[in-house]
């Protein structure tokens, strides 16, 4: 029975978190059962599990995909034999599965389109499967192809270039105003989750120093320790305005904490050097009137949200280009899959030719013991070259027929013409042959060492 690629899964689009939790809790249990099937019944040849907070997917290579899918669905049921709600599951086979995996790795199927973390999670899942030895020729090839496709999508499109979170958008704005953030000083007013995310982005983009002011000193010190920042008393934030370049405020204050007059007074002391305010608090922390002052820039949460929405639309436009790349790479992988059918025939042709060459070479060399090693090596290389050139056209012929529905006819034809042994699918340690055929090392020196008359 032919091997088929299968993905059965559940994700944030198809199921709420409580359903995804149930599926995630069965990952190891189902993995053990699939391993049993692989070793005892040979139904599942290869498998890998991807489990993240947004998705759980079983990627398998199976000779009986219907049975494999049925088994996973049954194993997802609970101990009281209640069936897992099937409406939350999705199933992809063959090229649809390949295309889906490419899209997931490229961030096109993520909750935040273009996010890069999913690629690292797939690499971790593959690493774990490789350590457990549950992946083979097809999944090895598919996963390495997946990594290269994701890299190509990221480098040839802008799918991950624009900020789609408020905190990151704030940092991107600061970079536009100052050119870059190298050497800039940042004051964070408030130490909540948004401030923490912004701190990460600021430091990653080259800010030289963070100052944190928070009403709760413990939280300010905790955040300062993480980012090697300094802290100041909340009552002294106006003093910091003289030296910092960016002020990001995100407190829970019910009223304004920074007035127009405060900022106006401080601008004189800093000799009107540009000062950038980011107010992501609701209610707002900063008087909108500061935006009227020269060299003072203020953006509030609505401004940033507008940027985020615009960036999301830009990512959607880039997604069209990404989908084209994925379609192209899916077709390339399809061609590779089809060549697997002709690999055993190519291997058999080469093996038979090599056996004939070696046997004839030994008989000939037995009568030429007077030749030097250099002369013997020249003869060996000549025979290798003859065999390679003689097989070139038949191999190209059968590889070109690999993508045709009638390929089995041509495989049988070549096997009869060359009187080859019948195909044995289990004889596949060299299944990567179509890609590597030009990299095959010459056996010339090993043959020379075994020639008659060689000391």
């Amino acid at each position: 029975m032919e091997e088929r690629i299968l993905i059965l899964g559940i994700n944030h689009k198809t199921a709420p978190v409580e359903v995804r939790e149930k599926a995630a809790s069965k990952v190891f249990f189902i993995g053990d059962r699939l391993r049993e099937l692989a070793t005892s019944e040979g139904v599942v040849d290869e498998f890998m599990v991807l489990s993240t907070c947004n998705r759980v997917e079983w990627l398998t290579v199976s000779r009986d995909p219907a049975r494999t899918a049925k088994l996973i669905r049954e194993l997802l049921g609970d101990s009281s034999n209640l069936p897992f709600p099937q409406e939350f599951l999705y199933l992809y086979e063959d090229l649809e599965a390949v295309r889906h995996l490419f899209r997931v790795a490229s961030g096109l199927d993520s909750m935040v389109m273009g996010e890069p973390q999913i690629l690292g999670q797939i690499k971790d899942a593959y690493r774990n499967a490789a350590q457990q030895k549950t992946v083979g020729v097809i999944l090895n090839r598919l996963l390495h192809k997946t990594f290269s496709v994701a890299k190509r999508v990221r480098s040839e499109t802008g799918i991950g270039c624009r900020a789609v979170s408020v905190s990151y958008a704030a940092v991107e704005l600061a970079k536009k105003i100052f050119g870059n953030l190298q050497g800039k000083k940042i004051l964070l007013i408030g130490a909540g989750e948004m401030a923490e995310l912004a701190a990460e982005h600021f430091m990653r983009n080259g800010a030289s120093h963070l100052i944190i002011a928070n009403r709760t000193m413990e939280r300010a010190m905790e955040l300062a320790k993480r980012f090697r920042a300094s802290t100041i008393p909340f009552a002294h934030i106006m003093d910091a305005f003289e030296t910092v370049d960016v002020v990001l405020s995100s407190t829970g204050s019910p009223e304004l904490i920074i007035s127009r007059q405060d900022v106006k007074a401080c601008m004189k002391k800093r000799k009107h050097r540009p000062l950038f305010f980011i107010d992501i608090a609701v209610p707002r922390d900063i008087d909108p009137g500061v935006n009227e002052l020269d060299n003072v820039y203020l953006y509030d949460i609505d401004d940033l949200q507008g940027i985020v929405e615009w960036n999301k639309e830009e990512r959607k436009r880039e997604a069209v280009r990404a989908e084209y790349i994925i379609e192209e790479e899916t077709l390339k992988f399809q061609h590779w899959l089809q060549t697997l059918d002709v690999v055993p025939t190519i291997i058999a042709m080469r093996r038979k030719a090599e056996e004939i060459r070696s046997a004839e070479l030994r008989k000939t060399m037995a009568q030429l013991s007077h030749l030097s090693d250099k002369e013997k090596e020249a003869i060996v290389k000549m025979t290798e070259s003859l065999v390679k050139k003689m097989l070139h056209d038949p191999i190209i012929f059968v590889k070109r027929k690999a993508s045709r529905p009638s390929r089995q006819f041509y495989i049988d034809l070549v096997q009869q013409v060359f009187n080859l042994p019948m195909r044995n699918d289990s004889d596949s340690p060299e299944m990567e042959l179509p890609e590597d055929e030009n990299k095959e090392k010459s056996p010339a020196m090993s043959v020379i060492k075994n020639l008659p008359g060689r000391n």
Side-chain angles (χ1 to χ4, degrees):
M1 194 177 290
E2 193 177 66
E3 293 173 319
R4 307 279 297 274
I5 300 173
L6 181 81
I7 289 180
L8 181 69
I10 184 171
N11 67 19
H12 61 282
K13 295 178 181 175
T14 65
V17 64
E18 58 269 22
V19 178
R20 302 201 302 273
E21 284 173 346
K22 287 182 182 176
S25 69
K26 295 293 187 72
V27 162
F28 295 109
F29 170 64
I30 295 176
D32 290 342
R33 186 71 182 104
L34 290 177
R35 193 175 291 107
E36 288 174 13
L37 279 179
T39 55
S40 63
E41 302 180 36
V43 175
V44 178
D45 296 311
E46 307 174 39
F47 72 92
M48 186 191 92
V49 182
L50 174 64
S51 180
T52 73
C53 58
N54 284 331
R55 71 181 65 244
V56 181
E57 294 183 346
W58 286 270
L59 169 61
T60 68
V61 174
S62 172
R63 294 171 193 273
D64 191 345
R67 184 180 171 193
T68 302
K70 182 172 182 288
L71 175 77
I72 296 175
R73 290 176 193 274
E74 289 173 353
L75 293 173
L76 279 168
D78 62 22
S79 55
S80 57
N81 292 325
L82 282 175
F84 189 85
Q86 302 298 303
E87 64 271 23
F88 296 123
L89 293 168
Y90 49 80
L91 178 68
Y92 297 109
E93 292 187 37
D94 298 329
L95 286 191
E96 282 191 348
V98 172
R99 187 181 293 109
H100 174 74
L101 186 61
F102 289 171
R103 294 187 79 254
V104 170
S106 302
L108 294 178
D109 200 49
S110 296
M111 185 176 286
V112 178
M113 183 179 289
E115 59 91 8
Q117 288 82 8
I118 185 63
L119 181 58
Q121 292 166 327
I122 294 175
K123 287 182 176 178
D124 289 341
Y126 172 61
R127 192 176 298 113
N128 183 54
Q131 289 171 349
Q132 299 293 322
K133 299 181 179 177
T134 62
V135 290
V137 172
I138 294 178
L139 288 194
N140 275 326
R141 178 74 180 201
L142 176 57
L143 267 297
H144 282 283
K145 188 67 177 174
T146 300
F147 303 148
S148 68
V149 170
K151 183 178 179 181
R152 187 184 165 199
V153 167
R154 200 154 288 276
S155 62
E156 295 185 17
T157 74
I159 192 72
C161 292
R162 299 181 184 277
V164 289
S165 70
V166 169
S167 55
Y168 189 26
V171 176
E172 289 290 298
L173 262 179
K175 284 171 66 178
K176 286 182 179 177
I177 288 175
F178 293 105
N180 63 67
L181 296 179
Q182 297 295 325
K184 301 301 179 190
K185 289 184 179 180
I186 315 295
L187 171 63
L188 299 182
I189 305 175
E193 185 180 350
M194 295 287 275
E196 186 173 356
L197 287 172
E200 280 185 9
H201 293 307
F202 275 123
M203 297 307 288
R204 197 178 298 159
N205 283 276
S208 64
H209 186 58
L210 283 178
I211 302 170
I212 300 170
N214 193 51
R215 285 195 170 90
T216 305
M217 185 182 295
E218 287 182 352
R219 174 58 183 159
M221 293 178 67
E222 182 185 328
L223 204 59
K225 184 180 179 182
R226 181 181 168 191
F227 295 104
R228 297 181 179 178
S230 59
T231 62
I232 58 173
F234 194 84
H236 293 180
I237 55 177
M238 305 303 170
D239 298 338
F241 287 0
E242 292 183 31
T243 58
V244 300
D245 302 287
V246 179
V247 178
L248 185 143
S249 190
S250 60
T251 76
S253 171
E255 55 192 24
L256 297 176
I257 62 172
I258 300 172
S259 69
R260 185 177 185 278
Q261 285 305 113
D262 293 333
V263 178
K264 185 177 180 181
C266 124
M267 290 304 288
K268 290 180 181 176
K269 294 177 183 176
R270 57 186 285 123
K271 299 180 180 176
H272 296 280
R273 284 184 295 111
L275 183 57
F276 178 39
F277 286 96
I278 306 166
D279 187 355
I280 56 177
V282 180
R284 288 177 290 182
D285 287 338
I286 303 173
D287 182 350
V290 306
N291 221 7
E292 299 166 1
L293 300 173
D294 290 340
N295 290 327
V296 176
Y297 305 89
L298 169 64
Y299 287 85
D300 63 23
I301 189 75
D302 282 354
D303 297 325
L304 295 175
Q305 197 60 50
I307 293 170
V308 167
E309 293 303 319
W310 188 81
N311 286 347
K312 284 181 179 176
E313 290 302 314
E314 283 296 300
R315 284 197 178 194
K316 286 181 182 176
R317 279 189 276 274
E318 290 299 308
V320 175
R321 297 174 59 204
E323 296 282 8
Y324 182 82
I325 292 172
I326 286 170
E327 200 57 36
E328 189 177 85
E329 296 291 347
T330 301
L331 291 175
K332 288 181 184 176
F333 192 80
Q334 179 188 29
H335 178 71
W336 180 81
L337 277 176
Q338 289 168 336
T339 63
L340 288 179
D341 287 341
V342 303
V343 170
T345 300
I346 294 173
I347 292 173
M349 271 197 291
R350 286 183 167 167
R351 186 173 292 158
K352 183 169 184 177
E354 177 59 23
E355 287 171 356
I356 294 171
R357 186 190 72 85
S358 298
E360 294 301 316
L361 193 60
R362 275 193 295 274
K363 285 193 288 185
T364 301
M365 288 298 184
Q367 302 170 27
L368 300 172
S369 57
H370 60 283
L371 296 180
S372 67
D373 283 352
K374 188 175 181 180
E375 290 169 327
K376 291 175 181 176
E377 184 179 347
I379 293 175
V380 170
K381 286 186 175 179
M382 180 191 69
T383 62
E384 287 177 347
S385 179
L386 281 173
V387 168
K388 190 173 181 180
K389 289 179 178 177
M390 288 293 292
L391 290 181
H392 178 266
D393 287 341
I395 288 175
I396 294 299
F397 170 81
V398 77
K399 286 173 71 174
R400 284 178 177 166
K401 303 301 181 186
S403 59
R404 296 191 178 187
S406 57
R407 58 183 172 277
Q408 191 55 50
F409 167 78
Y410 294 103
I411 291 172
D412 293 341
L413 177 66
V414 170
Q415 287 180 344
Q416 289 178 37
V417 168
F418 284 84
N419 192 24
L420 301 176
M422 295 298 289
R423 170 179 170 172
N424 182 358
D425 287 340
S426 63
D427 184 18
S428 59
E430 301 167 271
M431 290 295 273
E432 296 286 348
L433 188 61
E435 289 281 320
D436 299 335
E437 62 177 353
N438 294 325
K439 300 175 184 175
E440 189 175 4
K441 294 180 180 177
S442 168
M445 296 312 296
S446 61
V447 172
I448 286 176
K449 288 177 183 176
N450 295 322
L451 286 174
R454 169 74 178 171
N455 294 323

